[in-house]
Amino acid sequence: MDKGVLIRTYRKQQGMKQDDLAVGICTTSYLSRIENNLVTATEEVYALLFQRLGKVYEDVQHAHDEMVHALEAVYQALVDDKPLNDAQLALLTTKTTAALHTMQQLIYARYLTREQQFTQAEAILKTIGQPAFTKNRLTTLYIGVTTYYQLSTGAYESILVTEKQENAQRYFSRTQSYEQAIYLYHVAFAAHRHYQFSLAAQYIEKAIALFTHRYRPLFQLKLYSMKGVILAALNRFDEAMVEYTAGVELLEAVPAIATNKQWASIFNNMAFCFEQQKCYKEASYYYQKSLQAWDDVHTMINYLRTLVFSGDVTKAKELQQQEHKAFTAEHHQHQWALLAALLHQTSATQATFQAQEEPAMKAICAAKHKELILHYAPKLAEIYGEWHQYKKMAYYYQLAYKTSEELRVHD
């Protein structure tokens, strides 16, 4: 319990000066240090200060501990991605003591992030500000919540910078190993999205080691999937498929987590693994299974790309003409336009094709989607080569080479 903050809060509420509160108990300077958490007083001193403020120390302690327990239960539900009941939601917005306000607001920001209310979550985190990192609960909550927010908003580099500069994982040494594993999983996720695949592999292995023998099947599934994605990025495709297969077996064994969305996700990952190897038949098979489980625009674009690159024009045109959900990411729209250009390339003029592909590739390059650049640049170079536009051909081959080197050096 943050006794010093409580004492200061109660004193100010009553309009009492430090001199009046401290007299006969301790010096005024010592009280000031207590209120600023610079010293820890004896239990007797705390009891006397609370008594003078008209509070029973034991009652204050009990109420505080109960509130902490309730807030921790809400945070655990959020971490486990469980729905909150009305009482738990109310707990996040009910006025509380100054000592618990920061904890409550951090957990509320975590909830808002999960609900994709990013503007409100950001406002709370800015108001709180980064505390001085110490091995206490507020530090781990702050790191955990901000990491989740940054991951959700694509600020991957910020996560990696904090971990590198602060060695943030060390502050979790007193928390449950499950919570440590979640943080390390998030760092691995950020490293992968920032194209630091070897670093991502290191963190996912740490997360797995900490999570061993825990029964939380949904998080276990996330570990299987994330490790598979990282291994595939490192061109360790057979090892990646081992992880994905383990994920499939887990879904078959635990019906409680076997939602259509989870099936779709694992099948999409398996398909992408085959697509990376240019095994388009297998990739198409798993993309279809993914779409049968969950109608997702991201998977649909992946499937369309596979059909276009494999030369299955008939199926590609049928898929492109189907109604689809709204694009959920900017690169979806650019890929859609680029794939349309590639699909109709044989019947389009060179000028028309170039007018379609250039804005899409420019946007993909500006957003630094390196994996997408490596997908499309060689194909575009090949097409321009067939048209004897050697300058454009050279440009795209050079772009592919440069991007490949950037990934190699970055990793």
Side-chain angles (χ1 to χ4, degrees):
M1 180 176 72
D2 198 343
K3 306 181 188 74
V5 174
L6 275 176
I7 290 168
R8 182 174 67 239
T9 301
Y10 290 141
R11 178 178 62 77
K12 288 187 175 181
Q13 285 176 351
Q14 297 177 31
M16 187 182 295
K17 294 180 179 179
Q18 285 184 330
D19 289 342
D20 296 330
L21 178 57
V23 62
I25 300 175
C26 61
T27 64
T28 303
S29 62
Y30 191 67
L31 174 60
S32 178
R33 294 171 69 193
I34 290 173
E35 290 186 349
N36 288 289
N37 289 322
L38 298 176
V39 296
T40 300
T42 64
E43 292 298 296
E44 181 184 5
V45 169
Y46 283 124
L48 289 170
L49 291 171
F50 278 110
Q51 183 180 15
R52 183 160 291 169
L53 290 165
K55 306 289 181 181
V56 178
Y57 177 46
E58 289 76 10
D59 291 346
V60 172
Q61 178 81 51
H62 180 69
H64 177 92
D65 291 347
E66 280 197 335
M67 185 65 169
V68 167
H69 180 74
L71 286 171
E72 287 285 5
V74 173
Y75 186 68
Q76 191 63 62
L78 291 171
V79 166
D80 290 338
D81 201 24
K82 294 179 179 178
L84 302 185
N85 59 41
D86 292 342
Q88 289 174 318
L89 286 171
L91 197 66
L92 296 178
T93 54
T94 301
K95 187 175 181 180
T96 187
T97 63
L100 288 172
H101 181 70
T102 300
M103 180 182 187
Q104 180 199 47
Q105 288 298 289
L106 281 170
I107 296 172
Y108 187 36
R110 177 64 168 75
Y111 166 74
L112 291 170
T113 301
R114 188 181 76 171
E115 300 303 306
Q116 298 187 346
Q117 298 180 36
F118 301 127
T119 302
Q120 291 173 263
E122 181 184 18
I124 290 173
L125 293 174
K126 281 185 176 179
T127 300
I128 292 171
Q130 181 173 321
F133 285 179
T134 57
K135 287 188 177 181
N136 62 21
R137 185 56 178 147
L138 280 182
T139 295
T140 54
L141 274 176
Y142 178 84
I143 295 170
V145 170
T146 53
T147 299
Y148 180 74
Y149 169 79
Q150 290 163 343
L151 200 68
S152 301
T153 55
Y156 308 121
E157 188 174 7
S158 298
I159 296 170
L160 300 177
V161 168
T162 299
E163 171 57 28
K164 183 177 181 180
Q165 293 181 348
E166 302 286 350
N167 190 18
Q169 60 180 301
R170 67 191 171 100
Y171 294 104
F172 288 84
S173 60
R174 296 179 184 176
T175 63
Q176 297 179 26
S177 59
Y178 174 52
E179 194 169 336
Q180 296 179 56
I182 289 172
Y183 171 72
L184 293 168
Y185 164 82
H186 286 160
V187 177
F189 197 118
H192 172 264
R193 288 300 180 89
H194 204 246
Y195 304 105
Q196 296 188 37
F197 303 133
S198 296
L199 183 65
Q202 293 174 29
Y203 279 104
I204 202 66
E205 290 295 350
K206 288 182 180 181
I208 290 168
L210 280 166
F211 187 69
T212 302
H213 305 309
R214 304 294 188 278
Y215 183 74
R216 292 180 185 270
L218 184 57
F219 186 64
Q220 180 65 72
L221 181 64
K222 290 182 177 181
L223 290 174
Y224 284 142
S225 293
M226 191 73 250
K227 185 175 179 181
V229 168
I230 293 167
L231 290 171
L234 291 167
N235 297 324
R236 293 160 61 182
F237 301 115
D238 290 343
E239 294 173 75
M241 288 303 297
V242 169
E243 299 300 318
Y244 295 144
T245 302
V248 169
E249 292 173 351
L250 181 61
L251 286 171
E252 291 173 340
V254 188
I257 65 168
T259 64
N260 287 347
K261 195 170 184 179
Q262 296 301 340
W263 277 115
S265 177
I266 201 80
F267 286 144
N268 178 74
N269 287 341
M270 294 171 82
F272 188 69
C273 185
F274 281 116
E275 186 188 355
Q276 287 174 287
Q277 301 171 74
K278 297 184 180 181
C279 299
Y280 295 123
K281 182 179 179 180
E282 294 85 349
S284 294
Y285 171 76
Y286 281 108
Y287 279 138
Q288 288 180 75
K289 285 178 71 71
S290 180
L291 287 169
Q292 287 166 4
W294 187 265
D295 184 17
D296 177 67
V297 68
H298 181 79
T299 302
M300 185 197 67
I301 290 173
N302 287 347
Y303 181 35
L304 179 60
R305 184 179 60 237
T306 295
L307 292 174
V308 171
F309 277 57
S310 66
D312 195 338
V313 175
T314 302
K315 278 189 180 180
K317 287 183 176 179
E318 288 175 1
L319 183 63
Q320 192 191 37
Q321 289 168 4
Q322 292 178 12
E323 291 186 12
H324 60 81
K325 293 181 178 180
F327 296 124
T328 54
E330 190 176 350
H331 71 82
H332 290 160
Q333 186 172 353
H334 301 313
Q335 282 200 78
W336 188 261
L338 189 53
L339 287 167
L342 289 170
L343 186 57
H344 300 283
Q345 165 251 325
T346 55
S347 60
T349 65
Q350 294 180 25
T352 301
F353 177 80
Q354 189 168 333
Q356 286 180 306
E357 69 84 3
E358 278 191 343
M361 277 302 288
K362 184 177 180 181
I364 288 171
C365 291
K368 298 180 181 179
H369 288 301
K370 297 182 181 182
E371 285 181 306
L372 295 182
I373 293 170
L374 290 178
H375 267 298
Y376 293 110
K379 182 69 173 178
L380 292 169
E382 180 185 323
I383 290 170
Y384 281 115
E386 291 172 357
W387 282 338
H388 307 295
Q389 291 198 28
Y390 299 119
K391 186 175 181 181
K392 289 289 291 184
M393 180 189 74
Y395 167 76
Y396 277 119
Y397 276 136
Q398 287 171 5
L399 178 62
Y401 174 76
K402 178 185 175 184
T403 303
S404 179
E405 284 298 291
E406 285 176 353
L407 281 177
R408 184 182 64 80
V409 172
H410 199 185
D411 193 40

